[in-house]
Amino acid sequence: MSNLKIAIQKSGRLSENSRKLLEECGIKISNGANVLKTSAGNFPIEVLFLRDDDIPQYVEQKVADIGILGENMVFEKNKDVEIMEQLGFAHCRLSLAIPKEESFSGPGYFNNKKVATSYPRLLRSYFDANNIEAQIEEISGSVEIAPGIGLADAVCDIVSSGSTLMTNGLREVVTVVKSQAVIISNKNLDKSKQEILSKLLFRVRAVKNAKENKYILLNAPEEAIPAICEILPGMKSPTILPLVEKGWCSLHSVVKEDEFWERINQLKKAGAEGILVIPIEKMIL
Ligand code: PRP
Ligand code: ZN
């Protein structure tokens, strides 16, 4: 049985989290700085370290079977690959930005302007959709310096924290597309590779679910339990255990990470005490 070949970014915004995800899926890969290729000791997978820009093409051509990269690159390269799963990290957006002192009237601002970008396809379709006649200057890196050196009037580039734009005196004015890391796959994997991929996706989903949820424990008087159960739907329904102190119980459940602050206030109001919120390592639904 041949290994599944996965391409991940060699260095950049996605590389650390991509390695981390594989580790959290129980896949141990060695960490050599200049290694281009490594295999995992305990899972039938081979890891290729590549430039994210090249990953869509390599997956289309089966140099790699699958890859981890940003949707931004997948959409821009438009290769014949399939998106299998959104991974919930490396959130960013492709945005248009202009010198911060310029006033912005709307998309029409870009008529007859020159815009530097590494994403010519996505930018062209944005301009076409908005009937804008602008000139696109394709450059492969350091896009943010283009206005400062007189190469372009504006840029269209990836924004994550926004600090690159800020240090270069630029202001984000339009979001062209939003992005996060995804797993892409070649569309014609043989059966044995498909099986490895579904094992990997099963683990990825367990890790993702675990990150999106927290385990919550709390104490409450018995009479508060119905109200508390309304607030905490949990995976099925909360677990309730009696406490030594009469009339009190301990309740265990699962809450969504992004809802839990709001839930915790409701719980306190309903009578909950001693609330503990604990990370979950893996969660299989
Ligand atoms: C993007 C973009 C900026 C930086 C923005 O690069 O080109 O350099 O991220 O991030 P910030 O808003 O947090 O400052 P990316 O990592 O996508 O570049 P790559 O082309 O080298 O892969
Ligand atoms: Zn890149």
Side-chain angles (χ1 to χ4, degrees):
M1 192 168 80
S2 52
N3 284 345
L4 184 75
K5 285 181 282 180
I6 180 169
I8 66 172
Q9 192 187 36
K10 187 167 163 51
S11 68
R13 269 183 321 114
L14 291 133
S15 51
E16 203 188 311
N17 282 326
S18 305
R19 284 164 178 269
K20 210 172 102 206
L21 176 67
L22 294 179
E23 265 164 42
E24 286 167 336
C25 289
I27 297 167
K28 295 197 174 70
I29 55 171
S30 56
N31 235 0
N34 280 316
V35 190
L36 293 178
K37 193 163 130 175
T38 184
S39 50
N42 56 351
F43 195 81
I45 204 167
E46 206 166 288
V47 185
L48 312 177
F49 301 99
L50 299 169
R51 273 177 51 114
D52 59 342
D53 315 46
D54 297 330
I55 293 177
Q57 184 180 342
Y58 285 163
V59 169
E60 185 188 67
Q61 296 171 343
K62 264 201 191 171
V63 173
D65 301 307
I66 65 170
I68 297 180
L69 76 167
E71 289 170 311
N72 54 310
M73 225 20 117
V74 181
F75 300 150
E76 174 62 27
K77 300 296 177 185
N78 199 30
K79 298 291 178 188
D80 193 25
V81 297
E82 191 174 349
I83 293 184
M84 305 304 293
E85 186 79 20
Q86 291 186 319
L87 298 174
F89 65 83
H91 287 277
C92 64
R93 50 207 185 267
L94 179 67
S95 290
L96 280 154
I98 63 172
K100 66 171 191 297
E101 60 284 353
E102 297 259 320
S103 62
F104 183 69
S105 46
Y109 172 93
F110 294 102
N111 272 315
N112 307 314
K113 293 274 192 329
K114 200 178 188 186
V115 184
T117 190
S118 311
Y119 295 83
R121 244 185 59 84
L122 290 175
L123 182 56
R124 176 58 63 206
S125 53
Y126 171 80
F127 283 153
D128 288 350
N130 288 279
N131 293 318
I132 290 158
E133 295 282 343
Q135 190 187 332
I136 296 177
E137 186 71 35
E138 183 178 351
I139 51 179
S140 60
S142 303
V143 171
E144 62 278 2
I145 64 168
I149 60 173
L151 182 69
D153 304 302
V155 303
C156 180
D157 199 13
I158 295 300
V159 184
S160 168
S161 65
S163 72
T164 303
L165 291 186
M166 200 167 7
T167 40
N168 288 281
L170 298 170
R171 177 163 72 96
E172 188 179 1
V173 289
V174 172
T175 300
V176 175
V177 66
K178 288 192 178 154
S179 168
Q180 63 174 293
V182 288
I183 295 188
I184 59 167
S185 171
N186 179 280
K187 287 186 173 169
N188 299 301
L189 294 187
D190 64 41
K191 197 132 186 296
S192 70
K193 289 191 173 184
Q194 277 178 34
E195 277 166 22
I196 306 170
L197 175 57
S198 41
K199 274 190 197 155
L200 176 68
L201 290 174
F202 178 84
R203 295 186 186 193
V204 165
R205 287 173 193 137
V207 169
K208 228 178 90 179
N209 288 331
K211 279 196 189 135
E212 286 166 0
N213 290 279
K214 298 280 174 207
Y215 193 75
I216 181 166
L217 299 95
L218 58 87
N219 295 332
E222 268 162 11
E223 61 275 15
I225 294 299
I228 290 176
C229 288
E230 288 280 301
I231 305 168
L232 288 179
M235 288 213 279
K236 262 213 169 113
S237 74
T239 307
I240 296 166
L241 302 166
L243 289 190
V244 176
E245 192 175 328
K246 241 184 154 272
W248 278 74
C249 37
S250 165
L251 184 146
H252 300 195
S253 191
V254 172
V255 279
K256 284 240 170 291
E257 156 96 277
D258 52 6
E259 295 175 0
F260 89 92
W261 286 115
E262 189 193 332
R263 296 277 159 125
I264 277 164
N265 281 329
Q266 294 173 4
L267 291 168
K268 281 174 72 179
K269 269 191 208 142
E273 290 180 11
I275 304 171
L276 298 180
V277 177
I278 299 170
I280 299 171
E281 197 182 288
K282 307 280 187 291
M283 180 165 158
I284 291 116
L285 295 174

CSV table of all heavy atoms in Angstrom, one decimal, residues 9 11-14 51-53 72-73 92-93 118-119 140-144 156-167, ligand 1:
chain,number,residue,atom,x,y,z
A,9,GLN,N,2.8,23.9,3.7
A,9,GLN,CA,3.7,25.1,3.5
A,9,GLN,C,5.0,24.9,4.2
A,9,GLN,O,5.0,24.6,5.4
A,9,GLN,CB,3.0,26.3,3.9
A,9,GLN,CG,3.7,27.6,3.4
A,9,GLN,CD,3.0,28.9,4.0
A,9,GLN,OE1,2.6,28.9,5.2
A,9,GLN,NE2,3.0,29.9,3.2
A,11,SER,N,7.4,27.3,4.8
A,11,SER,CA,7.5,28.3,5.9
A,11,SER,C,6.6,29.5,5.5
A,11,SER,O,6.4,29.8,4.3
A,11,SER,CB,9.0,28.8,6.0
A,11,SER,OG,9.3,29.5,4.8
A,12,GLY,N,5.9,30.0,6.5
A,12,GLY,CA,5.0,31.1,6.3
A,12,GLY,C,3.8,31.0,7.3
A,12,GLY,O,3.9,30.3,8.3
A,13,ARG,N,2.8,31.7,7.0
A,13,ARG,CA,1.7,31.9,7.9
A,13,ARG,C,1.0,30.5,8.3
A,13,ARG,O,0.5,30.4,9.4
A,13,ARG,CB,0.6,32.8,7.3
A,13,ARG,CG,0.7,34.2,7.6
A,13,ARG,CD,-0.4,35.1,7.1
A,13,ARG,NE,-0.8,34.7,5.7
A,13,ARG,CZ,-2.0,34.2,5.4
A,13,ARG,NH1,-2.9,34.0,6.3
A,13,ARG,NH2,-2.2,33.9,4.2
A,14,LEU,N,1.0,29.6,7.3
A,14,LEU,CA,0.3,28.3,7.6
A,14,LEU,C,1.1,27.2,8.1
A,14,LEU,O,0.6,26.2,8.6
A,14,LEU,CB,-0.3,27.8,6.2
A,14,LEU,CG,-1.4,28.6,5.6
A,14,LEU,CD1,-1.1,28.9,4.2
A,14,LEU,CD2,-2.7,27.9,5.8
A,51,ARG,N,6.2,25.5,-1.3
A,51,ARG,CA,5.6,26.9,-1.3
A,51,ARG,C,4.1,26.7,-1.4
A,51,ARG,O,3.6,26.0,-2.3
A,51,ARG,CB,6.1,27.7,-2.5
A,51,ARG,CG,7.4,28.4,-2.2
A,51,ARG,CD,7.9,29.1,-3.5
A,51,ARG,NE,6.7,29.9,-4.0
A,51,ARG,CZ,6.7,31.2,-4.1
A,51,ARG,NH1,7.8,31.9,-3.8
A,51,ARG,NH2,5.7,31.8,-4.6
A,52,ASP,N,3.3,27.4,-0.6
A,52,ASP,CA,1.8,27.3,-0.7
A,52,ASP,C,1.3,27.6,-2.1
A,52,ASP,O,0.4,27.0,-2.6
A,52,ASP,CB,1.1,28.1,0.4
A,52,ASP,CG,1.4,29.6,0.2
A,52,ASP,OD1,2.4,30.0,-0.4
A,52,ASP,OD2,0.7,30.4,0.8
A,53,ASP,N,2.0,28.6,-2.8
A,53,ASP,CA,1.6,29.0,-4.1
A,53,ASP,C,1.6,27.8,-5.1
A,53,ASP,O,0.8,27.8,-6.1
A,53,ASP,CB,2.5,30.1,-4.7
A,53,ASP,CG,2.8,31.2,-3.7
A,53,ASP,OD1,3.1,30.8,-2.5
A,53,ASP,OD2,2.7,32.3,-4.1
A,72,ASN,N,-7.6,31.3,-0.2
A,72,ASN,CA,-7.1,32.3,-1.0
A,72,ASN,C,-6.3,31.8,-2.2
A,72,ASN,O,-6.5,32.2,-3.4
A,72,ASN,CB,-6.3,33.4,-0.3
A,72,ASN,CG,-5.2,32.8,0.5
A,72,ASN,OD1,-5.3,31.9,1.3
A,72,ASN,ND2,-4.0,33.4,0.4
A,73,MET,N,-5.4,30.9,-1.9
A,73,MET,CA,-4.5,30.3,-3.0
A,73,MET,C,-5.3,29.3,-3.8
A,73,MET,O,-5.1,29.3,-5.1
A,73,MET,CB,-3.4,29.6,-2.3
A,73,MET,CG,-2.0,29.8,-2.8
A,73,MET,SD,-1.7,31.2,-3.7
A,73,MET,CE,-0.5,32.0,-2.7
A,92,CYS,N,-8.0,34.9,7.2
A,92,CYS,CA,-7.5,36.1,6.6
A,92,CYS,C,-8.4,36.6,5.5
A,92,CYS,O,-9.4,35.9,5.3
A,92,CYS,CB,-6.1,36.0,6.1
A,92,CYS,SG,-5.9,34.8,4.7
A,93,ARG,N,-8.1,37.7,4.9
A,93,ARG,CA,-8.9,38.1,3.8
A,93,ARG,C,-8.0,38.7,2.7
A,93,ARG,O,-7.0,39.3,3.0
A,93,ARG,CB,-10.0,39.1,4.3
A,93,ARG,CG,-9.4,40.3,5.1
A,93,ARG,CD,-10.5,40.8,6.1
A,93,ARG,NE,-9.9,42.0,6.8
A,93,ARG,CZ,-9.2,41.9,7.9
A,93,ARG,NH1,-9.1,40.7,8.6
A,93,ARG,NH2,-8.7,43.0,8.5
A,118,SER,N,-0.6,39.9,-5.9
A,118,SER,CA,-0.1,38.6,-6.3
A,118,SER,C,-1.4,37.7,-6.6
A,118,SER,O,-1.2,36.5,-6.8
A,118,SER,CB,0.6,37.9,-5.1
A,118,SER,OG,1.6,38.8,-4.6
A,119,TYR,N,-2.5,38.3,-6.6
A,119,TYR,CA,-3.8,37.6,-6.8
A,119,TYR,C,-4.5,38.2,-8.0
A,119,TYR,O,-5.7,38.7,-7.9
A,119,TYR,CB,-4.7,37.7,-5.6
A,119,TYR,CG,-4.0,36.9,-4.4
A,119,TYR,CD1,-3.1,37.5,-3.6
A,119,TYR,CD2,-4.4,35.6,-4.1
A,119,TYR,CE1,-2.5,36.8,-2.6
A,119,TYR,CE2,-3.8,34.9,-3.1
A,119,TYR,CZ,-2.8,35.5,-2.3
A,119,TYR,OH,-2.3,34.9,-1.3
A,140,SER,N,5.1,39.2,-7.2
A,140,SER,CA,5.0,38.0,-6.5
A,140,SER,C,5.3,38.1,-5.0
A,140,SER,O,5.0,37.2,-4.2
A,140,SER,CB,6.0,36.9,-7.1
A,140,SER,OG,7.3,37.5,-7.0
A,141,GLY,N,5.8,39.3,-4.5
A,141,GLY,CA,6.0,39.4,-3.1
A,141,GLY,C,6.1,40.9,-2.7
A,141,GLY,O,6.2,41.7,-3.6
A,142,SER,N,6.1,41.2,-1.4
A,142,SER,CA,6.2,42.5,-0.9
A,142,SER,C,5.3,43.5,-1.6
A,142,SER,O,5.7,44.6,-1.9
A,142,SER,CB,7.7,43.0,-1.0
A,142,SER,OG,8.5,42.1,-0.3
A,143,VAL,N,4.1,43.1,-1.8
A,143,VAL,CA,3.1,43.9,-2.5
A,143,VAL,C,2.9,45.2,-1.8
A,143,VAL,O,2.7,46.3,-2.4
A,143,VAL,CB,1.8,43.1,-2.6
A,143,VAL,CG1,0.7,44.0,-3.1
A,143,VAL,CG2,2.0,41.9,-3.5
A,144,GLU,N,3.0,45.2,-0.4
A,144,GLU,CA,2.6,46.4,0.4
A,144,GLU,C,3.5,47.6,0.1
A,144,GLU,O,3.2,48.7,0.4
A,144,GLU,CB,2.6,46.0,1.9
A,144,GLU,CG,3.9,45.5,2.4
A,144,GLU,CD,4.2,44.0,2.2
A,144,GLU,OE1,3.4,43.3,1.5
A,144,GLU,OE2,5.3,43.6,2.7
A,156,CYS,N,-3.7,45.0,-3.6
A,156,CYS,CA,-4.7,44.0,-3.2
A,156,CYS,C,-4.0,42.8,-2.7
A,156,CYS,O,-3.2,42.1,-3.4
A,156,CYS,CB,-5.5,43.6,-4.5
A,156,CYS,SG,-6.8,42.3,-4.1
A,157,ASP,N,-4.1,42.6,-1.3
A,157,ASP,CA,-3.2,41.6,-0.7
A,157,ASP,C,-3.9,41.0,0.5
A,157,ASP,O,-4.9,41.4,0.9
A,157,ASP,CB,-1.9,42.3,-0.2
A,157,ASP,CG,-0.7,41.3,0.0
A,157,ASP,OD1,-0.9,40.2,-0.4
A,157,ASP,OD2,0.3,41.8,0.6
A,158,ILE,N,-3.2,40.0,1.0
A,158,ILE,CA,-3.7,39.2,2.2
A,158,ILE,C,-3.6,40.1,3.4
A,158,ILE,O,-2.5,40.6,3.7
A,158,ILE,CB,-3.0,37.9,2.3
A,158,ILE,CG1,-3.3,37.0,1.1
A,158,ILE,CG2,-3.3,37.2,3.6
A,158,ILE,CD1,-4.7,36.6,0.9
A,159,VAL,N,-4.6,40.2,4.2
A,159,VAL,CA,-4.6,40.9,5.5
A,159,VAL,C,-5.0,39.9,6.6
A,159,VAL,O,-6.0,39.2,6.4
A,159,VAL,CB,-5.6,42.1,5.5
A,159,VAL,CG1,-5.5,42.9,6.8
A,159,VAL,CG2,-5.4,43.0,4.3
A,160,SER,N,-4.2,39.9,7.6
A,160,SER,CA,-4.5,39.0,8.7
A,160,SER,C,-4.7,39.9,9.9
A,160,SER,O,-5.8,40.2,10.3
A,160,SER,CB,-3.4,37.9,8.8
A,160,SER,OG,-3.5,37.3,10.0
A,161,SER,N,-3.6,40.3,10.6
A,161,SER,CA,-3.7,41.2,11.7
A,161,SER,C,-3.9,42.7,11.2
A,161,SER,O,-4.4,43.5,12.0
A,161,SER,CB,-2.5,41.1,12.6
A,161,SER,OG,-1.4,41.6,11.9
A,162,GLY,N,-3.5,43.0,10.0
A,162,GLY,CA,-3.5,44.3,9.5
A,162,GLY,C,-2.3,45.1,9.7
A,162,GLY,O,-2.1,46.2,9.3
A,163,SER,N,-1.3,44.5,10.4
A,163,SER,CA,-0.1,45.3,10.8
A,163,SER,C,0.8,45.6,9.6
A,163,SER,O,1.4,46.6,9.5
A,163,SER,CB,0.7,44.6,11.9
A,163,SER,OG,1.3,43.5,11.4
A,164,THR,N,0.8,44.7,8.6
A,164,THR,CA,1.6,45.0,7.4
A,164,THR,C,1.1,46.2,6.7
A,164,THR,O,1.9,47.1,6.3
A,164,THR,CB,1.6,43.7,6.4
A,164,THR,OG1,2.1,42.6,7.1
A,164,THR,CG2,2.5,44.0,5.2
A,165,LEU,N,-0.2,46.3,6.5
A,165,LEU,CA,-0.8,47.5,5.9
A,165,LEU,C,-0.4,48.7,6.7
A,165,LEU,O,0.0,49.7,6.2
A,165,LEU,CB,-2.3,47.3,5.8
A,165,LEU,CG,-2.8,46.3,4.8
A,165,LEU,CD1,-4.3,46.4,4.7
A,165,LEU,CD2,-2.2,46.5,3.4
A,166,MET,N,-0.6,48.6,8.0
A,166,MET,CA,-0.4,49.8,8.9
A,166,MET,C,1.0,50.3,8.8
A,166,MET,O,1.2,51.5,8.6
A,166,MET,CB,-0.8,49.5,10.3
A,166,MET,CG,-1.1,50.8,11.0
A,166,MET,SD,-1.9,50.7,12.6
A,166,MET,CE,-2.1,49.2,13.2
A,167,THR,N,1.9,49.4,8.9
A,167,THR,CA,3.3,49.9,8.8
A,167,THR,C,3.7,50.5,7.5
A,167,THR,O,4.7,51.2,7.4
A,167,THR,CB,4.4,48.8,9.2
A,167,THR,OG1,4.0,47.6,8.6
A,167,THR,CG2,4.6,48.6,10.6
B,1,PRP,C1,0.4,38.0,3.7
B,1,PRP,C2,0.6,39.4,3.1
B,1,PRP,C3,1.3,40.2,4.2
B,1,PRP,C4,0.9,39.5,5.5
B,1,PRP,C5,-0.2,40.3,6.1
B,1,PRP,O1,1.5,37.2,3.3
B,1,PRP,O2,1.3,39.5,1.9
B,1,PRP,O3,2.7,40.1,4.0
B,1,PRP,O4,0.4,38.2,5.1
B,1,PRP,O5,-0.4,39.8,7.5
B,1,PRP,P1,-0.8,40.9,8.6
B,1,PRP,O6,-2.1,41.6,8.2
B,1,PRP,O7,-0.9,40.0,9.8
B,1,PRP,O8,0.4,41.9,8.7
B,1,PRP,P2,1.4,35.6,3.2
B,1,PRP,O9,1.8,35.0,4.5
B,1,PRP,O10,0.1,35.2,2.6
B,1,PRP,O11,2.5,35.5,2.1
B,1,PRP,P3,3.2,34.5,1.2
B,1,PRP,O12,2.8,35.0,-0.2
B,1,PRP,O13,4.7,34.7,1.5
B,1,PRP,O14,2.8,33.1,1.4
